[in-house]
Amino acid sequence: MAQSSPKKESKPNWRHYDFTTTGPVDDYLYSMLPKRDEVLAEMEGYASEHNVPIVGPAVARVLQQLALMINARTVFELGSAIGYSTIWWAQAVGEKGRVIYTDGDPKNTERARRYFDRAGVANRITLHTGDALEFLSEQKQLYDIIFNDVDKEDYPRVLRLVSPRLRKGGLFITDNVLWSGRVAEKNPKEPRTRAILEFNRLLYSSNDFYTTILPIRDGLAVALKK
Ligand SMILES: C[S@@+](CC[C@H](N)C(=O)[O-])C[C@H]1O[C@@H](n2cnc3c(N)ncnc32)[C@H](O)[C@@H]1O
């Protein structure tokens, strides 16, 4: 099993220690990341202090890279919290792009709005407070990317909504699909673990998508719409 990394207390909470990569290798991966700008760095600090479950910079960089690779201009995000991943999307889509932020908690929306202003990307982001699945189901346009980071029990339901709202060649991306390794348990009882297992099975077997799971941090599913 993995070697242990230095004391967790001194490290941010959005890391996933000794899980898919060993502590020292994981430290190396994070040490390679370029310094973030002031607002993103502040958000990382806030998330760590207040236990806000953000994707963190290693996954955020993958998200931004994927958006740049397909020249994405529109992103619908389900579960945005304080808007950390939203800012990485907004930077990727460019000045004419649009990112839909969704979160059920109005306090998150207000905090996110302030960060978006300070990061200079507010004019690229539409904020929606309320149920992300309901809002997605109302969408008439096709998106380049749909990013799923809501409550895990809802993952199978999200999958059913996504395909008709994603363009061919677009990406459906989902965080936490390895669920800190719990997906490998025998006969898991925990509802969130079971929902993620069902989601992964349905996603891999879907004729609409070509899927891989990147074992970075807590597992990122990347599904290409055929
Ligand atoms: C893991 S956090 C999102 C983190 C964000 N994607 C990031 O990396 O910066 C999940 C967020 O989704 C929100 N959420 C969960 N289920 C939701 C739903 N059905 N509709 C809207 N928001 C939801 C929660 O309030 C929480 O803030």
Side-chain angles (χ1 to χ4, degrees), residues 155 174-180 183 196-197 199-200 203 212-214 218-221:
Y155 274 20
T174 301
D175 194 31
N176 308 109
V177 294
L178 296 178
W179 205 222
S180 299
V183 289
I196 289 172
L197 284 169
F199 173 83
N200 289 343
L203 187 59
T212 53
I213 289 177
L214 308 181
D218 199 22
L220 190 72

Side-chain angles (χ1 to χ4, degrees), residues 76 78-79 102-105 128-138 150-151 154 157-158 161:
F76 190 104
L78 296 107
T102 65
D103 205 274
D105 182 344
H128 177 81
T129 310
D131 182 38
L133 285 78
E134 200 180 311
F135 195 47
L136 179 62
S137 71
E138 292 163 7
V150 286
D151 291 345
D154 283 330
R157 216 152 56 85
V158 172
L161 294 174

Side-chain angles (χ1 to χ4, degrees), residues 53-55 79-81 84-85 103-104 108 130-133 147 149-151:
I54 62 170
V55 291
S80 303
Y84 178 79
S85 49
D103 205 274
N108 279 342
D131 182 38
L133 285 78
F147 176 52
D149 200 10
V150 286
D151 291 345

Side-chain angles (χ1 to χ4, degrees), residues 67 72-77 89-90 92-93 97-101 141 143-147:
R73 289 288 168 266
T74 53
V75 178
F76 190 104
E77 182 173 74
W89 292 126
V93 297
R98 180 124 309 262
V99 181
I100 312 299
Y101 162 107
Q141 75 168 91
Y143 286 88
D144 295 322
I145 291 179
I146 297 178
F147 176 52

Side-chain angles (χ1 to χ4, degrees), residues 163-181:
S163 190
R165 296 168 180 92
L166 197 59
R167 73 152 161 94
K168 188 174 170 356
L171 298 173
F172 173 40
I173 304 172
T174 301
D175 194 31
N176 308 109
V177 294
L178 296 178
W179 205 222
S180 299

Side-chain angles (χ1 to χ4, degrees), residues 6-159:
K7 277 193 128 204
K8 280 185 190 180
E9 292 78 45
S10 61
K11 298 279 201 71
N13 76 333
W14 32 259
R15 290 278 299 270
H16 264 248
Y17 306 88
D18 302 339
F19 164 39
T20 50
T21 47
T22 61
V25 174
D26 207 45
D27 286 341
Y28 171 72
L29 290 175
Y30 277 89
S31 78
M32 293 285 287
L33 299 174
K35 210 165 173 282
R36 270 77 67 199
D37 63 34
E38 192 193 324
V39 177
L40 285 174
E42 186 181 316
M43 292 171 91
E44 289 168 13
Y46 179 87
S48 196
E49 259 172 55
H50 296 86
N51 273 323
V52 182
I54 62 170
V55 291
V59 168
R61 197 171 164 84
V62 176
L63 300 180
Q64 194 167 89
Q65 185 180 37
L66 290 167
L68 294 170
M69 284 163 75
I70 66 158
N71 201 19
R73 289 288 168 266
T74 53
V75 178
F76 190 104
E77 182 173 74
L78 296 107
S80 303
I82 58 172
Y84 178 79
S85 49
T86 324
I87 291 183
W88 286 81
W89 292 126
Q91 290 171 344
V93 297
E95 271 182 25
K96 296 213 171 98
R98 180 124 309 262
V99 181
I100 312 299
Y101 162 107
T102 65
D103 205 274
D105 182 344
K107 285 200 200 97
N108 279 342
T109 315
E110 281 325 301
R111 176 165 287 276
R113 197 188 299 280
R114 292 197 293 273
Y115 286 132
F116 298 158
D117 280 335
R118 285 177 52 208
V121 290
N123 60 352
R124 305 175 192 181
I125 300 170
T126 303
L127 291 99
H128 177 81
T129 310
D131 182 38
L133 285 78
E134 200 180 311
F135 195 47
L136 179 62
S137 71
E138 292 163 7
Q139 298 302 304
K140 300 280 182 272
Q141 75 168 91
L142 292 177
Y143 286 88
D144 295 322
I145 291 179
I146 297 178
F147 176 52
N148 173 25
D149 200 10
V150 286
D151 291 345
K152 310 312 155 191
E153 289 94 324
D154 283 330
Y155 274 20
R157 216 152 56 85
V158 172
L159 177 57

